[in-house]
Amino acid sequence: MRSRSSNCARYPHVGFTGNIKRSIAVVRSGSPHARRVLRSLWTTDERATPSLTYPAVEWLEGWLDRSHRVLEFGSGASTLFFAGRAGSVISIEHHPAWFDRVGTLLNEHALHADRRLIEPDPVAASVTDDAYRSTKRDYRGRTFRAYAHGADGLVDDSLDLALIDGRARFACARAILPKVRRGGWIVLDNAERPNYQPIHDLLAHLGAERVDHMGLGPRSGKRWLTTAYHLRSR
């Protein structure tokens, strides 16, 4: 997820000068998605486009339909996107103010999602798994164990897609695996980051097919990697 000040925003929040610089870089990139990136910087046309790379967004736009059941760790523009296309959406969020903001946007667009606010807890002495901790300074001494296991009550093999785009991502990927059906997908955003290598290792060990979607994304005009894993077997 990109910064909360810009994600799912009605208007660009990076400032006029910042948008000019980003726009020049986008045009010079020669990206086939340059037009959509520019729209995201200067208009509200892309406000319901998830903060994933545009190659990943275009894949999702072609694949998603009302038969699909989706879960996301980390809410925002992706919540509007999924709610407008999938049959059902479960959205797990840890930040109360952002949770409220996304709820307002869903109401404005007459969209619905099963939204769950699960804030981090103080780290108990018995918690030794670092996978439940966030590397972000704001959450030192906090555990995202309950957040990562926010979907444990779901029936196994009941999801078609899970988006990992929030906190404690390895723990979330590990916990959600039993809930995604064979033939379903797990999508990891910012997949180029070295600290997410354990997620790649886990899914590769399970024989999941890796599909990389490298490219520019909305609102930032930056280039990064969104990776989708096809769960062909357990």
Side-chain angles (χ1 to χ4, degrees):
M1 180 181 296
R2 307 277 80 70
S3 68
R4 297 184 183 276
S5 62
S6 61
N7 195 13
C8 212
R10 284 185 173 277
Y11 303 102
H13 288 268
V14 295
F16 182 80
T17 302
N19 267 3
I20 288 289
K21 292 179 178 178
R22 286 170 173 81
S23 298
I24 292 171
V26 167
V27 172
R28 288 176 174 173
S29 73
S31 168
H33 305 101
R35 184 170 295 181
R36 289 192 70 172
V37 178
L38 293 173
R39 283 204 303 267
S40 77
L41 291 171
W42 295 103
T43 76
T44 60
D45 292 351
E46 298 283 311
R47 64 182 177 268
T49 298
S51 293
L52 309 173
T53 63
Y54 272 115
V57 170
E58 289 183 348
W59 164 65
L60 287 169
E61 287 173 338
W63 178 76
L64 271 176
D65 62 40
R66 290 296 182 185
S67 71
H68 291 131
R69 296 153 296 179
V70 175
L71 179 140
E72 61 174 6
F73 289 98
S75 63
S78 55
T79 314
L80 274 71
F81 178 85
F82 289 133
R85 287 169 170 79
S88 65
V89 183
I90 297 172
S91 181
I92 299 177
E93 174 60 45
H94 75 281
H95 193 284
W98 188 244
F99 180 85
D100 291 343
R101 172 63 175 152
V102 173
T104 298
L105 290 167
L106 285 167
N107 289 336
E108 288 178 358
H109 289 80
L111 295 171
H112 171 75
D114 176 357
R115 299 190 311 122
R116 305 177 183 186
L117 175 63
I118 306 177
E119 299 180 62
D121 297 311
V123 175
S126 59
V127 176
T128 58
D129 192 341
D130 286 340
Y132 293 117
R133 306 192 189 204
S134 172
T135 57
K136 195 172 182 179
R137 287 184 181 181
D138 296 354
Y139 300 110
R140 285 179 178 174
R142 313 286 288 182
T143 175
F144 282 84
R145 185 183 185 93
Y147 172 91
H149 290 279
D152 280 6
L154 296 180
V155 175
D156 287 356
D157 302 308
S158 62
L159 296 173
D160 298 288
L161 183 143
L163 172 62
I164 313 296
D165 196 19
R167 308 251 66 86
R169 296 189 189 187
F170 175 73
C172 292
R174 186 175 58 186
I176 204 63
L177 265 171
K179 310 304 177 184
V180 182
R181 65 172 176 82
R182 296 186 183 187
W185 295 83
I186 289 182
V187 178
L188 172 66
D189 196 30
N190 313 113
E192 77 284 358
R193 295 179 183 175
N195 55 314
Y196 296 150
Q197 187 57 45
I199 302 176
H200 295 298
D201 294 341
L202 171 66
L203 294 169
H205 178 73
L206 293 174
E209 176 187 2
R210 175 173 175 167
V211 182
D212 287 336
H213 298 284
M214 175 67 78
L216 299 179
R219 289 173 287 280
S220 72
K222 295 181 179 179
R223 179 180 171 88
W224 73 93
L225 178 64
T226 302
T227 295
Y229 279 96
H230 193 203
L231 302 182
R232 295 178 295 183
S233 62
R234 285 282 188 269

